Amino acid sequence: MDTITHPRPVERIVQGQATSDGAGVRLVRMLAQPLQRRLDPFLMLDAFGSDEPRDYLAGFPDHPHRGFETVTLMLAGRMRHRDSAGHEGLLEPGGVQWMTAGRGVVHSEMPEQAEGRMEGLQLWLNLPAADKMREPWYRDFRADEIPAATADGVRVRVIAGRALGTDGAVLRAVTDPLLLDLELAPGARFAQSLPAAHHAFVHVVRGSIEIAGRAAGARKMAILADAPSYDGVGLTAGADGARMLLAAARPLNEPIVQLGPFVMNTREQIEQAVDDFRRGALAN
Ligand code: CO
């Protein structure tokens, strides 16, 4: 495990906003437009989780995206993805879907179950201006395809980046994202070095953690301070253990203009996306 001498303090604990999206899926939006500049290049984080079919059955029927990537981590339940680029995949517990919308995809994400628990996270990762109109890309990783490592009560699944000497499933050059699905036994500690300029947060899925003297429970997001003197993050699980997503990445420092499912750099590019979508030219 990395040795940290100047751990990042918690700048702020964020409580998400209950909302619904798609055709009426209930979810908690942890990160939205007010935090996009602060957490650049992360654009959005949604947490969904319910045992009630009426909270998720409507799913996310066909809708467009342009200009960024979506990363979906399934924790419980099964969801089927289909998109206009011809990709199809079944997301199952522990699986991760990584979709680069680039210049445009129209896709659906629909539950493949009529009862039981459905739970997961979806994170939006911005693309650099030069890559916003690239070809779409898609990959889904089964749970056993995500590189994993363990150490002293810690199990880390490396979705992106590198941790405990293990390279992640996906690497991205410009933003260099680190995305870790972390599971800690009660009282276990985890430390990870982070480049000082990278924006970072921890979203707690279950249990509780302590970071630099601040506690965060389930469905709370801790935004970590960044300053040149900090060399990483250190955290400890509470009495019931914890599962969390640790995310960090290099900011793009480019203009962010979002209209719903389109995230570009200028108003004109957004108007172009809307126009392309209306005349059926977004995704071909
Ligand atoms: Co979508």
Side-chain angles (χ1 to χ4, degrees):
M1 205 170 296
D2 294 343
T3 302
I4 302 301
T5 52
H6 295 92
R8 293 188 185 209
V10 172
E11 178 179 297
R12 187 178 155 194
I13 304 276
V14 174
Q15 174 129 24
Q17 290 282 336
T19 183
S20 71
D21 207 340
V25 177
R26 288 173 59 128
L27 51 84
V28 178
R29 186 147 290 163
M30 304 303 302
L31 192 183
Q33 291 191 6
L35 285 172
Q36 283 176 347
R37 182 51 57 190
R38 174 62 190 87
L39 290 175
D40 172 20
F42 300 112
L43 298 167
M44 198 188 77
L45 176 66
D46 281 346
F48 53 95
S50 178
D51 300 303
E52 290 291 336
R54 65 171 177 270
D55 288 343
Y56 61 74
L57 269 185
F60 301 88
D62 272 350
H63 60 280
H65 292 291
R66 173 178 280 180
F68 58 98
E69 305 187 87
T70 66
V71 183
T72 308
L73 168 61
M74 274 316 265
L75 299 167
R78 291 147 57 92
M79 191 99 88
R80 179 157 312 263
H81 162 100
R82 285 192 182 90
D83 73 37
S84 53
H87 305 122
E88 179 171 347
L90 182 63
L91 271 171
E92 297 185 280
V96 172
Q97 178 208 74
W98 195 298
M99 184 184 79
T100 306
R103 66 187 173 82
V105 295
V106 174
H107 77 151
S108 62
E109 299 148 299
M110 298 300 290
E112 194 138 296
Q113 64 188 38
E115 55 182 21
R117 184 158 185 80
M118 176 77 75
E119 183 177 17
L121 300 174
Q122 186 173 83
L123 179 69
W124 291 10
L125 174 66
N126 209 356
L127 282 168
D131 292 337
K132 282 185 174 289
M133 295 297 280
R134 57 158 283 172
E135 288 298 302
W137 184 84
Y138 172 88
R139 193 59 220 276
D140 55 65
F141 302 90
R142 291 191 320 267
D144 63 4
E145 294 175 315
I146 301 292
T150 54
D152 293 341
V154 175
R155 177 169 177 265
V156 57
R157 300 199 315 135
V158 189
I159 300 167
R162 182 177 171 82
L164 295 182
T166 302
D167 280 328
V170 176
L171 299 173
R172 286 286 179 264
V174 179
T175 50
D176 192 19
L178 175 75
L179 299 178
L180 304 182
D181 174 6
L182 277 169
E183 226 167 338
L184 269 61
R189 293 166 159 275
F190 178 73
Q192 168 81 25
S193 58
L194 298 174
H198 287 202
H199 290 162
F201 68 84
V202 179
H203 169 79
V204 181
V205 172
R206 62 166 182 76
S208 64
I209 56 170
E210 193 187 295
I211 306 178
R214 294 282 298 274
R219 295 233 163 150
K220 297 285 190 296
M221 180 173 78
I223 297 178
L224 305 182
D226 39 68
S229 54
Y230 304 136
D231 58 357
V233 56
L235 54 87
T236 306
D240 297 323
R243 185 163 186 181
M244 74 209 78
L245 174 73
L246 167 60
R250 180 185 295 121
L252 289 165
N253 294 313
E254 293 173 342
I256 302 167
V257 184
Q258 175 175 10
L259 180 68
F262 308 128
V263 185
M264 303 298 290
N265 303 112
T266 69
R267 274 319 311 169
E268 292 69 33
Q269 291 167 342
I270 290 291
E271 283 160 20
Q272 184 70 54
V274 171
D275 191 53
D276 286 351
F277 179 55
R278 284 200 182 127
R279 58 195 180 83
L282 181 95
N284 47 30

